[in-house]
Structure formats: structure tokens, C-alpha cells
Amino acid sequence: MIYLDNAATTLHKPPQVARAVVQAMDTMGNAARGAHGGALAASRTVYGTREKLARLFACQRADHIAFTANSTEALNIAINGILHEGDHAISTDCEHNSVLRPLYRLEEERGVGLDFVAADRQGRVDYGDFERLIRCNTKAIVCTHCSNLTGNVLDIAKIGEIAHRHGALLIVDASQTAGTIPIDMEKMGVDVLCFTGHKGLMGPQGTGGLCIGPGVEIAPWKVGGSGVHSYDRHQPMEYPTRLEAGTLNSHGIAGLSAALDVILERGVEGIQQMEHGLMRKFYEGVKDIDGVTVYGDFAALVRGAIVTLNIRDYDSSAVSDALSENYGIATRPGAHCAPRMHRALGTTEQGAVRFSFSCYNTEQEVEEAIRAVREIAAE
């Protein structure tokens, strides 16, 4: 199988990841639940992984990184823990439902004001719209770093400057960029960075988290066992315990730690360059095929390793099925949990077929995918 669905999850991981998970299952107890060898081994691995993430994202404090099951949980924690009745938030048409649905629910249940920066037919935004939508009660701008549909990358530093100039926080969904595009929280002005472990970070599913900048207060989204202050009625307020009620996925975190070792050794810039080259090769090979429509801004210097397209008026699911059954190529069709972006692109009914690349793909696989698209378009 030629796996080109890396924006959903990376299938091919460094072999160290699986080995680390198996070793952890044989040796680790429950982190922060005891002083015996198994519990301490888990605690050391968990904290060591926080330190690696702090280094990767330039998060000032490793103890301000809280682990979650995925970026959806991280975003729910951040959004629900920061926005309250009377607040206003700004987001964009580029968002995944992991941002949209928590915001919609707060709008309905807490009366949180909500506005969206529109995207054009190529999924681009006007940064002046962020400024125009700011209100006196704007508490946060919540946005993706990279669209999971078009691959367009937002200028987070520019958005962060606008947010901070007006006293608002910047919450960033880094699901599509963590591990594949350099992120510096301090330089970009990111107050809360939400990430998942199973995509560009090449870790196991069931891992993710949020990195919290200085002075940011997030109320706990869930409460429960913490391993400390067991006689208190309320969740401990120290980070990261404040946001980590319940048993952590220490086995998965051990796998994530092993993946981070590979990323830090190779360098995010090197991974980005390789993935960008594969994406660009595919784009150049399909963009002029008769009947093929490609979505997104490919003039941008920085973009995700994603090419989304349609072939004539064919249903996107039918195209994806043909790619899988006739060519052994895995892609993602449909709505991609990005309804506002599909409306902006005009693809609500047809959906679209997403090809997404990782550093474990090859140029030969890209050539096979180009050939498949050409043949399907010629039918």
C-alpha cells in the first residue's frame, strides 16, 4: 500500500516507537502513583517527554505541558477553560471541528460571542479581518496553524501580535504542523499550543497535549484522581496536575518520547524540506491534468504537505475508493471535519480527495500517485 493519508495519522513510524511502547508495558507502573520502581519509571519517562516537547516548541516551562489523548481533548480543555460567559472569541473558516464544535457549544450554552475570519476560494484569509473583528471583550483568538484540507499555513506570529496588542490570548491548533513545521511559542506569541502525537510527531494514537505560556490560567475541564492532595475537595491548581485528572497514557507517552528523539535528531527543518519536496512534486504532476481541480495556495513559501483535489464531477469517495482498490493508494475523501472550509471552496456536495505526505514516503510513490490521478481523469 502507498500510504498518503498522513494528515489523518502517520502509519509509518520510527521503529523505536513500537519498541518503546512494548518496553513501557513491561516495565512501567502508574506515573505519580507511588514511589516503587515501576511508578518512578513512568514518572521519569513522562517528565522527560515534557522536556523534549518544551525544547521542540520553545515552551518556557516543561511543567506547563499537560498530556491529553489527542488535540481534540487539548483544544476542549483550552477553549472551555479560558472562555466564559461574556467573553468573545475569534476563529477562522480554516478550522477543524475540534475547534469549531467546542466554540459553537460555548456560544449556545455560555453566550460566548463568536466571529469567524472568512476564507476565499483558495482557502486564504485576510489578516486585517482579525483586527476588524476584535471587540473590547475579545478574550482569545483560536485558530489552526495549518488547514487540514488545503495545507495553507496561517501566519501565527502576525495573528499573535494582533491578539496581544488587544489584550487577547492566542490558542493554536498545531495538529497538522507539530513535528513538520518549526514552532516557537515565544517568537510566535502563542499562549496555548494544542498538539496531537499521532500525526507529524509520529507517536502512538492516544497521545497529545497542550503547552501553556506564562501567566495563562486554564480552569480544569475534568477533575478526579491526581495522585496528590487526595483529601482536597478540588483539583490541585498546580500545572500540569491541574489538567491531568486520571491515569496518563504512560505507555503511549513512552512511544511519543522515542519519536521525539528522532525528530529532534533529524531536525524539524529537514523533515519539512523533505515533505515539502514530495508535496510539490505531486502538485506539479497533477495541477495541469485535464479535469483536475486543486485547492489551496501553492504560491506560499510555507505550507503543509497536503494536496487536495477533485477529478471532474466525480464523487470524492468514489475517486478515493478507485485509488485504493485499483492502485493501492490510501487517501482521505469527503468533508475532513472541516465544514466551513468546504463551504469556502465550494466543495460541500462533492467533498474532496486529500493526499498527504510524510518523510517516509518516496518519490516513486509520488510518481505512482500522479499516474493514478492521470488515468482516473482520462476515464
Side-chain angles (χ1 to χ4, degrees), residues 13-25 28 45-46 49 52 67 197-198 201-208 249-263:
K13 320 264 190 192
Q16 299 94 310
V17 173
R19 291 199 296 266
V21 173
V22 172
Q23 183 180 13
M25 293 181 72
M28 285 188 187
T45 295
V46 167
T49 309
K52 293 172 188 178
F67 287 111
H198 68 100
L201 291 179
M202 298 186 291
Q205 296 179 3
T207 60
N249 178 14
S250 299
H251 301 152
I253 291 169
L256 177 60
S257 179
L260 289 167
D261 287 337
V262 175
I263 292 169

PDB file of all heavy atoms in Angstrom, residues 13-25 28 45-46 49 52 67 197-198 201-208 249-263:
ATOM      1  N   LYS A  13       5.980   4.731  11.300  1.00  0.00           N
ATOM      2  CA  LYS A  13       6.627   5.407  12.426  1.00  0.00           C
ATOM      3  C   LYS A  13       8.078   4.918  12.541  1.00  0.00           C
ATOM      4  O   LYS A  13       8.422   3.846  12.044  1.00  0.00           O
ATOM      5  CB  LYS A  13       5.917   5.079  13.740  1.00  0.00           C
ATOM      6  CG  LYS A  13       4.392   5.027  13.660  1.00  0.00           C
ATOM      7  CD  LYS A  13       3.741   6.293  14.068  1.00  0.00           C
ATOM      8  CE  LYS A  13       2.231   6.123  14.198  1.00  0.00           C
ATOM      9  NZ  LYS A  13       1.524   7.398  14.329  1.00  0.00           N
ATOM     10  N   PRO A  14       8.925   5.660  13.220  1.00  0.00           N
ATOM     11  CA  PRO A  14      10.250   5.121  13.518  1.00  0.00           C
ATOM     12  C   PRO A  14      10.109   3.822  14.302  1.00  0.00           C
ATOM     13  O   PRO A  14       9.262   3.717  15.196  1.00  0.00           O
ATOM     14  CB  PRO A  14      10.890   6.221  14.375  1.00  0.00           C
ATOM     15  CG  PRO A  14      10.138   7.470  14.043  1.00  0.00           C
ATOM     16  CD  PRO A  14       8.739   7.031  13.752  1.00  0.00           C
ATOM     17  N   PRO A  15      10.911   2.808  13.997  1.00  0.00           N
ATOM     18  CA  PRO A  15      10.772   1.523  14.702  1.00  0.00           C
ATOM     19  C   PRO A  15      10.979   1.643  16.209  1.00  0.00           C
ATOM     20  O   PRO A  15      10.479   0.819  16.978  1.00  0.00           O
ATOM     21  CB  PRO A  15      11.847   0.641  14.053  1.00  0.00           C
ATOM     22  CG  PRO A  15      12.786   1.586  13.370  1.00  0.00           C
ATOM     23  CD  PRO A  15      11.966   2.770  12.969  1.00  0.00           C
ATOM     24  N   GLN A  16      11.694   2.687  16.635  1.00  0.00           N
ATOM     25  CA  GLN A  16      11.918   2.883  18.067  1.00  0.00           C
ATOM     26  C   GLN A  16      10.618   3.101  18.825  1.00  0.00           C
ATOM     27  O   GLN A  16      10.537   2.841  20.033  1.00  0.00           O
ATOM     28  CB  GLN A  16      12.826   4.097  18.301  1.00  0.00           C
ATOM     29  CG  GLN A  16      14.207   3.995  17.680  1.00  0.00           C
ATOM     30  CD  GLN A  16      14.276   4.640  16.311  1.00  0.00           C
ATOM     31  OE1 GLN A  16      13.437   4.370  15.451  1.00  0.00           O
ATOM     32  NE2 GLN A  16      15.278   5.496  16.100  1.00  0.00           N
ATOM     33  N   VAL A  17       9.587   3.609  18.129  1.00  0.00           N
ATOM     34  CA  VAL A  17       8.322   3.938  18.795  1.00  0.00           C
ATOM     35  C   VAL A  17       7.653   2.681  19.337  1.00  0.00           C
ATOM     36  O   VAL A  17       7.287   2.601  20.516  1.00  0.00           O
ATOM     37  CB  VAL A  17       7.385   4.703  17.840  1.00  0.00           C
ATOM     38  CG1 VAL A  17       6.007   4.907  18.471  1.00  0.00           C
ATOM     39  CG2 VAL A  17       7.996   6.044  17.453  1.00  0.00           C
ATOM     40  N   ALA A  18       7.477   1.696  18.483  1.00  0.00           N
ATOM     41  CA  ALA A  18       6.827   0.450  18.918  1.00  0.00           C
ATOM     42  C   ALA A  18       7.651  -0.237  20.000  1.00  0.00           C
ATOM     43  O   ALA A  18       7.093  -0.781  20.970  1.00  0.00           O
ATOM     44  CB  ALA A  18       6.619  -0.474  17.729  1.00  0.00           C
ATOM     45  N   ARG A  19       8.970  -0.234  19.844  1.00  0.00           N
ATOM     46  CA  ARG A  19       9.819  -0.869  20.855  1.00  0.00           C
ATOM     47  C   ARG A  19       9.662  -0.189  22.214  1.00  0.00           C
ATOM     48  O   ARG A  19       9.619  -0.856  23.256  1.00  0.00           O
ATOM     49  CB  ARG A  19      11.282  -0.837  20.406  1.00  0.00           C
ATOM     50  CG  ARG A  19      11.582  -1.747  19.217  1.00  0.00           C
ATOM     51  CD  ARG A  19      13.075  -2.033  19.121  1.00  0.00           C
ATOM     52  NE  ARG A  19      13.859  -0.841  18.856  1.00  0.00           N
ATOM     53  CZ  ARG A  19      14.227  -0.445  17.640  1.00  0.00           C
ATOM     54  NH1 ARG A  19      13.854  -1.154  16.575  1.00  0.00           N
ATOM     55  NH2 ARG A  19      14.965   0.633  17.475  1.00  0.00           N
ATOM     56  N   ALA A  20       9.565   1.144  22.198  1.00  0.00           N
ATOM     57  CA  ALA A  20       9.419   1.883  23.452  1.00  0.00           C
ATOM     58  C   ALA A  20       8.088   1.574  24.131  1.00  0.00           C
ATOM     59  O   ALA A  20       8.016   1.450  25.365  1.00  0.00           O
ATOM     60  CB  ALA A  20       9.551   3.384  23.198  1.00  0.00           C
ATOM     61  N   VAL A  21       7.026   1.433  23.333  1.00  0.00           N
ATOM     62  CA  VAL A  21       5.713   1.123  23.911  1.00  0.00           C
ATOM     63  C   VAL A  21       5.734  -0.263  24.557  1.00  0.00           C
ATOM     64  O   VAL A  21       5.250  -0.452  25.678  1.00  0.00           O
ATOM     65  CB  VAL A  21       4.618   1.212  22.832  1.00  0.00           C
ATOM     66  CG1 VAL A  21       3.285   0.711  23.385  1.00  0.00           C
ATOM     67  CG2 VAL A  21       4.465   2.643  22.331  1.00  0.00           C
ATOM     68  N   VAL A  22       6.292  -1.230  23.848  1.00  0.00           N
ATOM     69  CA  VAL A  22       6.347  -2.592  24.391  1.00  0.00           C
ATOM     70  C   VAL A  22       7.172  -2.632  25.669  1.00  0.00           C
ATOM     71  O   VAL A  22       6.777  -3.250  26.673  1.00  0.00           O
ATOM     72  CB  VAL A  22       6.922  -3.557  23.335  1.00  0.00           C
ATOM     73  CG1 VAL A  22       7.169  -4.930  23.965  1.00  0.00           C
ATOM     74  CG2 VAL A  22       5.971  -3.683  22.151  1.00  0.00           C
ATOM     75  N   GLN A  23       8.310  -1.955  25.658  1.00  0.00           N
ATOM     76  CA  GLN A  23       9.149  -1.929  26.862  1.00  0.00           C
ATOM     77  C   GLN A  23       8.412  -1.266  28.027  1.00  0.00           C
ATOM     78  O   GLN A  23       8.484  -1.736  29.173  1.00  0.00           O
ATOM     79  CB  GLN A  23      10.450  -1.189  26.574  1.00  0.00           C
ATOM     80  CG  GLN A  23      11.408  -1.181  27.766  1.00  0.00           C
ATOM     81  CD  GLN A  23      12.707  -0.452  27.474  1.00  0.00           C
ATOM     82  OE1 GLN A  23      12.826   0.255  26.479  1.00  0.00           O
ATOM     83  NE2 GLN A  23      13.694  -0.621  28.342  1.00  0.00           N
ATOM     84  N   ALA A  24       7.701  -0.184  27.726  1.00  0.00           N
ATOM     85  CA  ALA A  24       6.957   0.510  28.781  1.00  0.00           C
ATOM     86  C   ALA A  24       5.873  -0.383  29.370  1.00  0.00           C
ATOM     87  O   ALA A  24       5.646  -0.384  30.590  1.00  0.00           O
ATOM     88  CB  ALA A  24       6.337   1.784  28.213  1.00  0.00           C
ATOM     89  N   MET A  25       5.205  -1.160  28.537  1.00  0.00           N
ATOM     90  CA  MET A  25       4.150  -2.044  29.032  1.00  0.00           C
ATOM     91  C   MET A  25       4.711  -3.122  29.949  1.00  0.00           C
ATOM     92  O   MET A  25       4.012  -3.627  30.842  1.00  0.00           O
ATOM     93  CB  MET A  25       3.402  -2.671  27.857  1.00  0.00           C
ATOM     94  CG  MET A  25       2.608  -1.653  27.045  1.00  0.00           C
ATOM     95  SD  MET A  25       1.693  -2.377  25.667  1.00  0.00           S
ATOM     96  CE  MET A  25       0.390  -3.227  26.548  1.00  0.00           C
ATOM     97  N   MET A  28       6.613  -0.290  33.224  1.00  0.00           N
ATOM     98  CA  MET A  28       6.098   0.926  33.852  1.00  0.00           C
ATOM     99  C   MET A  28       4.847   0.679  34.679  1.00  0.00           C
ATOM    100  O   MET A  28       3.933  -0.033  34.250  1.00  0.00           O
ATOM    101  CB  MET A  28       5.785   1.989  32.789  1.00  0.00           C
ATOM    102  CG  MET A  28       7.002   2.659  32.221  1.00  0.00           C
ATOM    103  SD  MET A  28       6.501   4.031  31.160  1.00  0.00           S
ATOM    104  CE  MET A  28       8.099   4.465  30.474  1.00  0.00           C
ATOM    105  N   THR A  45       9.773   8.960  32.683  1.00  0.00           N
ATOM    106  CA  THR A  45       9.522   8.990  31.237  1.00  0.00           C
ATOM    107  C   THR A  45       8.567  10.118  30.871  1.00  0.00           C
ATOM    108  O   THR A  45       8.784  10.845  29.898  1.00  0.00           O
ATOM    109  CB  THR A  45       8.948   7.641  30.766  1.00  0.00           C
ATOM    110  OG1 THR A  45       9.932   6.628  30.963  1.00  0.00           O
ATOM    111  CG2 THR A  45       8.565   7.687  29.292  1.00  0.00           C
ATOM    112  N   VAL A  46       7.511  10.269  31.662  1.00  0.00           N
ATOM    113  CA  VAL A  46       6.530  11.329  31.393  1.00  0.00           C
ATOM    114  C   VAL A  46       7.191  12.698  31.481  1.00  0.00           C
ATOM    115  O   VAL A  46       7.014  13.547  30.585  1.00  0.00           O
ATOM    116  CB  VAL A  46       5.346  11.226  32.379  1.00  0.00           C
ATOM    117  CG1 VAL A  46       4.490  12.483  32.325  1.00  0.00           C
ATOM    118  CG2 VAL A  46       4.500   9.996  32.052  1.00  0.00           C
ATOM    119  N   THR A  49       9.554  13.401  28.614  1.00  0.00           N
ATOM    120  CA  THR A  49       8.841  13.734  27.376  1.00  0.00           C
ATOM    121  C   THR A  49       8.371  15.179  27.405  1.00  0.00           C
ATOM    122  O   THR A  49       8.400  15.872  26.378  1.00  0.00           O
ATOM    123  CB  THR A  49       7.646  12.780  27.180  1.00  0.00           C
ATOM    124  OG1 THR A  49       8.096  11.429  27.305  1.00  0.00           O
ATOM    125  CG2 THR A  49       7.032  12.961  25.795  1.00  0.00           C
ATOM    126  N   LYS A  52      11.306  17.252  26.339  1.00  0.00           N
ATOM    127  CA  LYS A  52      11.562  17.199  24.892  1.00  0.00           C
ATOM    128  C   LYS A  52      10.559  18.062  24.121  1.00  0.00           C
ATOM    129  O   LYS A  52      10.927  18.750  23.160  1.00  0.00           O
ATOM    130  CB  LYS A  52      11.505  15.756  24.406  1.00  0.00           C
ATOM    131  CG  LYS A  52      12.624  14.883  24.951  1.00  0.00           C
ATOM    132  CD  LYS A  52      12.415  13.413  24.607  1.00  0.00           C
ATOM    133  CE  LYS A  52      13.427  12.541  25.326  1.00  0.00           C
ATOM    134  NZ  LYS A  52      13.221  11.086  25.042  1.00  0.00           N
ATOM    135  N   PHE A  67      -0.509  16.490  29.331  1.00  0.00           N
ATOM    136  CA  PHE A  67      -0.812  15.456  28.339  1.00  0.00           C
ATOM    137  C   PHE A  67      -2.313  15.191  28.251  1.00  0.00           C
ATOM    138  O   PHE A  67      -3.040  15.255  29.247  1.00  0.00           O
ATOM    139  CB  PHE A  67      -0.068  14.161  28.670  1.00  0.00           C
ATOM    140  CG  PHE A  67       1.404  14.243  28.382  1.00  0.00           C
ATOM    141  CD1 PHE A  67       2.323  14.257  29.425  1.00  0.00           C
ATOM    142  CD2 PHE A  67       1.870  14.320  27.082  1.00  0.00           C
ATOM    143  CE1 PHE A  67       3.684  14.337  29.166  1.00  0.00           C
ATOM    144  CE2 PHE A  67       3.232  14.411  26.815  1.00  0.00           C
ATOM    145  CZ  PHE A  67       4.143  14.412  27.854  1.00  0.00           C
ATOM    146  N   GLY A 197      -0.166  13.550  19.123  1.00  0.00           N
ATOM    147  CA  GLY A 197       1.072  12.806  18.969  1.00  0.00           C
ATOM    148  C   GLY A 197       1.123  11.895  17.762  1.00  0.00           C
ATOM    149  O   GLY A 197       2.198  11.458  17.361  1.00  0.00           O
ATOM    150  N   HIS A 198      -0.024  11.613  17.139  1.00  0.00           N
ATOM    151  CA  HIS A 198      -0.080  10.524  16.162  1.00  0.00           C
ATOM    152  C   HIS A 198       0.061  10.970  14.716  1.00  0.00           C
ATOM    153  O   HIS A 198      -0.015  10.136  13.802  1.00  0.00           O
ATOM    154  CB  HIS A 198      -1.402   9.743  16.330  1.00  0.00           C
ATOM    155  CG  HIS A 198      -2.622  10.529  15.941  1.00  0.00           C
ATOM    156  ND1 HIS A 198      -3.240  10.371  14.723  1.00  0.00           N
ATOM    157  CD2 HIS A 198      -3.328  11.477  16.600  1.00  0.00           C
ATOM    158  CE1 HIS A 198      -4.292  11.180  14.659  1.00  0.00           C
ATOM    159  NE2 HIS A 198      -4.365  11.859  15.794  1.00  0.00           N
ATOM    160  N   LEU A 201       4.197  14.178  14.702  1.00  0.00           N
ATOM    161  CA  LEU A 201       5.101  13.785  15.781  1.00  0.00           C
ATOM    162  C   LEU A 201       5.421  12.288  15.737  1.00  0.00           C
ATOM    163  O   LEU A 201       6.282  11.822  16.485  1.00  0.00           O
ATOM    164  CB  LEU A 201       4.528  14.169  17.143  1.00  0.00           C
ATOM    165  CG  LEU A 201       4.468  15.672  17.433  1.00  0.00           C
ATOM    166  CD1 LEU A 201       3.848  15.927  18.801  1.00  0.00           C
ATOM    167  CD2 LEU A 201       5.847  16.309  17.361  1.00  0.00           C
ATOM    168  N   MET A 202       4.702  11.550  14.907  1.00  0.00           N
ATOM    169  CA  MET A 202       4.984  10.132  14.626  1.00  0.00           C
ATOM    170  C   MET A 202       4.915   9.237  15.855  1.00  0.00           C
ATOM    171  O   MET A 202       5.568   8.205  15.937  1.00  0.00           O
ATOM    172  CB  MET A 202       6.344   9.991  13.928  1.00  0.00           C
ATOM    173  CG  MET A 202       6.412  10.697  12.591  1.00  0.00           C
ATOM    174  SD  MET A 202       7.941  10.398  11.663  1.00  0.00           S
ATOM    175  CE  MET A 202       9.148  11.281  12.662  1.00  0.00           C
ATOM    176  N   GLY A 203       4.107   9.652  16.841  1.00  0.00           N
ATOM    177  CA  GLY A 203       3.922   8.846  18.038  1.00  0.00           C
ATOM    178  C   GLY A 203       2.671   7.993  17.941  1.00  0.00           C
ATOM    179  O   GLY A 203       1.981   7.967  16.920  1.00  0.00           O
ATOM    180  N   PRO A 204       2.341   7.276  19.035  1.00  0.00           N
ATOM    181  CA  PRO A 204       1.149   6.432  19.046  1.00  0.00           C
ATOM    182  C   PRO A 204      -0.133   7.261  19.090  1.00  0.00           C
ATOM    183  O   PRO A 204      -0.151   8.404  19.568  1.00  0.00           O
ATOM    184  CB  PRO A 204       1.290   5.629  20.343  1.00  0.00           C
ATOM    185  CG  PRO A 204       2.722   5.778  20.744  1.00  0.00           C
ATOM    186  CD  PRO A 204       3.147   7.126  20.246  1.00  0.00           C
ATOM    187  N   GLN A 205      -1.207   6.665  18.585  1.00  0.00           N
ATOM    188  CA  GLN A 205      -2.519   7.261  18.802  1.00  0.00           C
ATOM    189  C   GLN A 205      -2.827   7.239  20.294  1.00  0.00           C
ATOM    190  O   GLN A 205      -2.321   6.417  21.046  1.00  0.00           O
ATOM    191  CB  GLN A 205      -3.579   6.492  18.019  1.00  0.00           C
ATOM    192  CG  GLN A 205      -3.393   6.574  16.513  1.00  0.00           C
ATOM    193  CD  GLN A 205      -4.432   5.789  15.746  1.00  0.00           C
ATOM    194  OE1 GLN A 205      -5.352   5.209  16.317  1.00  0.00           O
ATOM    195  NE2 GLN A 205      -4.283   5.746  14.434  1.00  0.00           N
ATOM    196  N   GLY A 206      -3.665   8.188  20.729  1.00  0.00           N
ATOM    197  CA  GLY A 206      -3.976   8.288  22.150  1.00  0.00           C
ATOM    198  C   GLY A 206      -3.006   9.160  22.917  1.00  0.00           C
ATOM    199  O   GLY A 206      -3.004   9.142  24.148  1.00  0.00           O
ATOM    200  N   THR A 207      -2.175   9.916  22.181  1.00  0.00           N
ATOM    201  CA  THR A 207      -1.260  10.856  22.839  1.00  0.00           C
ATOM    202  C   THR A 207      -1.461  12.254  22.261  1.00  0.00           C
ATOM    203  O   THR A 207      -1.804  12.412  21.091  1.00  0.00           O
ATOM    204  CB  THR A 207       0.216  10.444  22.640  1.00  0.00           C
ATOM    205  OG1 THR A 207       0.529  10.414  21.234  1.00  0.00           O
ATOM    206  CG2 THR A 207       0.484   9.084  23.242  1.00  0.00           C
ATOM    207  N   GLY A 208      -1.245  13.248  23.088  1.00  0.00           N
ATOM    208  CA  GLY A 208      -1.376  14.643  22.676  1.00  0.00           C
ATOM    209  C   GLY A 208      -1.184  15.517  23.895  1.00  0.00           C
ATOM    210  O   GLY A 208      -0.770  15.038  24.959  1.00  0.00           O
ATOM    211  N   ASN A 249      -1.606   8.098  29.804  1.00  0.00           N
ATOM    212  CA  ASN A 249      -1.233   7.032  28.876  1.00  0.00           C
ATOM    213  C   ASN A 249       0.294   6.951  28.826  1.00  0.00           C
ATOM    214  O   ASN A 249       0.931   7.302  27.828  1.00  0.00           O
ATOM    215  CB  ASN A 249      -1.820   7.323  27.487  1.00  0.00           C
ATOM    216  CG  ASN A 249      -1.421   6.287  26.458  1.00  0.00           C
ATOM    217  OD1 ASN A 249      -0.923   5.223  26.785  1.00  0.00           O
ATOM    218  ND2 ASN A 249      -1.639   6.607  25.189  1.00  0.00           N
ATOM    219  N   SER A 250       0.881   6.479  29.915  1.00  0.00           N
ATOM    220  CA  SER A 250       2.340   6.456  30.018  1.00  0.00           C
ATOM    221  C   SER A 250       2.979   5.585  28.942  1.00  0.00           C
ATOM    222  O   SER A 250       4.069   5.886  28.444  1.00  0.00           O
ATOM    223  CB  SER A 250       2.768   5.969  31.402  1.00  0.00           C
ATOM    224  OG  SER A 250       2.297   6.825  32.411  1.00  0.00           O
ATOM    225  N   HIS A 251       2.305   4.497  28.585  1.00  0.00           N
ATOM    226  CA  HIS A 251       2.858   3.624  27.544  1.00  0.00           C
ATOM    227  C   HIS A 251       2.916   4.363  26.209  1.00  0.00           C
ATOM    228  O   HIS A 251       3.928   4.290  25.492  1.00  0.00           O
ATOM    229  CB  HIS A 251       1.998   2.363  27.407  1.00  0.00           C
ATOM    230  CG  HIS A 251       1.895   1.578  28.666  1.00  0.00           C
ATOM    231  ND1 HIS A 251       0.801   0.790  28.965  1.00  0.00           N
ATOM    232  CD2 HIS A 251       2.730   1.466  29.730  1.00  0.00           C
ATOM    233  CE1 HIS A 251       0.968   0.212  30.135  1.00  0.00           C
ATOM    234  NE2 HIS A 251       2.130   0.609  30.635  1.00  0.00           N
ATOM    235  N   GLY A 252       1.851   5.070  25.878  1.00  0.00           N
ATOM    236  CA  GLY A 252       1.854   5.856  24.642  1.00  0.00           C
ATOM    237  C   GLY A 252       2.847   6.997  24.708  1.00  0.00           C
ATOM    238  O   GLY A 252       3.508   7.319  23.707  1.00  0.00           O
ATOM    239  N   ILE A 253       2.950   7.629  25.871  1.00  0.00           N
ATOM    240  CA  ILE A 253       3.887   8.739  26.035  1.00  0.00           C
ATOM    241  C   ILE A 253       5.319   8.252  25.861  1.00  0.00           C
ATOM    242  O   ILE A 253       6.173   8.963  25.310  1.00  0.00           O
ATOM    243  CB  ILE A 253       3.669   9.422  27.397  1.00  0.00           C
ATOM    244  CG1 ILE A 253       2.309  10.145  27.395  1.00  0.00           C
ATOM    245  CG2 ILE A 253       4.792  10.407  27.714  1.00  0.00           C
ATOM    246  CD1 ILE A 253       1.863  10.630  28.767  1.00  0.00           C
ATOM    247  N   ALA A 254       5.617   7.019  26.292  1.00  0.00           N
ATOM    248  CA  ALA A 254       6.945   6.447  26.072  1.00  0.00           C
ATOM    249  C   ALA A 254       7.238   6.320  24.580  1.00  0.00           C
ATOM    250  O   ALA A 254       8.354   6.600  24.123  1.00  0.00           O
ATOM    251  CB  ALA A 254       7.050   5.082  26.755  1.00  0.00           C
ATOM    252  N   GLY A 255       6.220   5.918  23.808  1.00  0.00           N
ATOM    253  CA  GLY A 255       6.388   5.849  22.361  1.00  0.00           C
ATOM    254  C   GLY A 255       6.580   7.222  21.746  1.00  0.00           C
ATOM    255  O   GLY A 255       7.407   7.412  20.842  1.00  0.00           O
ATOM    256  N   LEU A 256       5.822   8.200  22.245  1.00  0.00           N
ATOM    257  CA  LEU A 256       5.969   9.569  21.771  1.00  0.00           C
ATOM    258  C   LEU A 256       7.364  10.091  22.073  1.00  0.00           C
ATOM    259  O   LEU A 256       7.987  10.778  21.255  1.00  0.00           O
ATOM    260  CB  LEU A 256       4.910  10.460  22.420  1.00  0.00           C
ATOM    261  CG  LEU A 256       4.952  11.949  22.086  1.00  0.00           C
ATOM    262  CD1 LEU A 256       4.775  12.175  20.587  1.00  0.00           C
ATOM    263  CD2 LEU A 256       3.880  12.704  22.870  1.00  0.00           C
ATOM    264  N   SER A 257       7.878   9.756  23.247  1.00  0.00           N
ATOM    265  CA  SER A 257       9.223  10.180  23.625  1.00  0.00           C
ATOM    266  C   SER A 257      10.250   9.660  22.633  1.00  0.00           C
ATOM    267  O   SER A 257      11.180  10.382  22.224  1.00  0.00           O
ATOM    268  CB  SER A 257       9.546   9.688  25.041  1.00  0.00           C
ATOM    269  OG  SER A 257      10.844  10.058  25.425  1.00  0.00           O
ATOM    270  N   ALA A 258      10.102   8.391  22.233  1.00  0.00           N
ATOM    271  CA  ALA A 258      11.036   7.809  21.265  1.00  0.00           C
ATOM    272  C   ALA A 258      10.929   8.511  19.915  1.00  0.00           C
ATOM    273  O   ALA A 258      11.942   8.750  19.240  1.00  0.00           O
ATOM    274  CB  ALA A 258      10.755   6.318  21.111  1.00  0.00           C
ATOM    275  N   ALA A 259       9.710   8.866  19.506  1.00  0.00           N
ATOM    276  CA  ALA A 259       9.534   9.588  18.244  1.00  0.00           C
ATOM    277  C   ALA A 259      10.166  10.976  18.314  1.00  0.00           C
ATOM    278  O   ALA A 259      10.783  11.440  17.338  1.00  0.00           O
ATOM    279  CB  ALA A 259       8.048   9.696  17.920  1.00  0.00           C
ATOM    280  N   LEU A 260      10.032  11.623  19.461  1.00  0.00           N
ATOM    281  CA  LEU A 260      10.625  12.956  19.625  1.00  0.00           C
ATOM    282  C   LEU A 260      12.142  12.907  19.524  1.00  0.00           C
ATOM    283  O   LEU A 260      12.762  13.839  18.992  1.00  0.00           O
ATOM    284  CB  LEU A 260      10.194  13.552  20.967  1.00  0.00           C
ATOM    285  CG  LEU A 260       8.729  13.981  21.063  1.00  0.00           C
ATOM    286  CD1 LEU A 260       8.350  14.256  22.515  1.00  0.00           C
ATOM    287  CD2 LEU A 260       8.456  15.206  20.211  1.00  0.00           C
ATOM    288  N   ASP A 261      12.731  11.827  20.001  1.00  0.00           N
ATOM    289  CA  ASP A 261      14.186  11.682  19.863  1.00  0.00           C
ATOM    290  C   ASP A 261      14.586  11.717  18.394  1.00  0.00           C
ATOM    291  O   ASP A 261      15.578  12.360  18.015  1.00  0.00           O
ATOM    292  CB  ASP A 261      14.648  10.367  20.498  1.00  0.00           C
ATOM    293  CG  ASP A 261      14.615  10.397  22.014  1.00  0.00           C
ATOM    294  OD1 ASP A 261      14.659  11.502  22.594  1.00  0.00           O
ATOM    295  OD2 ASP A 261      14.549   9.309  22.622  1.00  0.00           O
ATOM    296  N   VAL A 262      13.829  11.038  17.567  1.00  0.00           N
ATOM    297  CA  VAL A 262      14.123  11.000  16.126  1.00  0.00           C
ATOM    298  C   VAL A 262      13.941  12.379  15.510  1.00  0.00           C
ATOM    299  O   VAL A 262      14.789  12.853  14.729  1.00  0.00           O
ATOM    300  CB  VAL A 262      13.220   9.965  15.423  1.00  0.00           C
ATOM    301  CG1 VAL A 262      13.423  10.012  13.908  1.00  0.00           C
ATOM    302  CG2 VAL A 262      13.491   8.571  15.953  1.00  0.00           C
ATOM    303  N   ILE A 263      12.853  13.054  15.859  1.00  0.00           N
ATOM    304  CA  ILE A 263      12.574  14.376  15.286  1.00  0.00           C
ATOM    305  C   ILE A 263      13.637  15.386  15.702  1.00  0.00           C
ATOM    306  O   ILE A 263      14.140  16.159  14.878  1.00  0.00           O
ATOM    307  CB  ILE A 263      11.171  14.854  15.722  1.00  0.00           C
ATOM    308  CG1 ILE A 263      10.108  13.978  15.063  1.00  0.00           C
ATOM    309  CG2 ILE A 263      10.957  16.328  15.359  1.00  0.00           C
ATOM    310  CD1 ILE A 263       8.716  14.190  15.614  1.00  0.00           C
TER     311      ILE A 263
END
